[in-house]
Amino acid sequence: LELLDEIEELQARLETRHVRIRVRQWVDKLSEPMRNPTWKRNRNAYAHLLLSQLDAGELSEPFIKVPDSQPLPTLPQYLRHLVPPKSPTFRCTHSPRRRRRPSDVHSSAVKSRS
């Protein structure tokens, strides 16, 4: 993942050694090989979340502790919403509501009067 390269660049700029070590452990965890597409999307969501937190200059859950030695758990829904939606691997797990354009509102109002 080239995303992990970006994370490593930002990690090198971190001030405290223990935070750099923790981020390094997360990069190692996210670098583990995976074949299952669902697991890959989950891993990529973690990576995008980590990158966005490093960009913001503040680490929070789940990156405030070292990763578990167990397989990566599914990123909780409340954290998944923090993943930047423009990331290429982002996949919304719910059906987004279609936004109505002004022209849609006008055409539906015209149809209802007919």
Side-chain angles (χ1 to χ4, degrees), residues 54-94:
L54 287 170
D55 272 340
E58 187 175 332
L59 290 178
S60 60
E61 191 179 352
F63 308 111
I64 54 176
K65 59 183 183 174
V66 296
D68 200 352
S69 62
Q70 301 298 314
L72 201 59
T74 301
L75 189 64
Q77 194 65 31
Y78 69 95
L79 290 175
R80 189 169 285 277
H81 289 292
L82 300 176
V83 175
K86 299 224 186 248
S87 62
T89 56
F90 176 77
R91 227 184 202 190
C92 193
T93 57
H94 65 281

Side-chain angles (χ1 to χ4, degrees), residues 14-25 66:
L14 294 171
E15 291 182 24
T16 59
R17 185 172 185 266
H18 71 277
V19 174
R20 280 194 306 269
I21 291 170
R22 187 176 348 119
V23 171
R24 162 69 14 225
Q25 290 172 325
V66 296

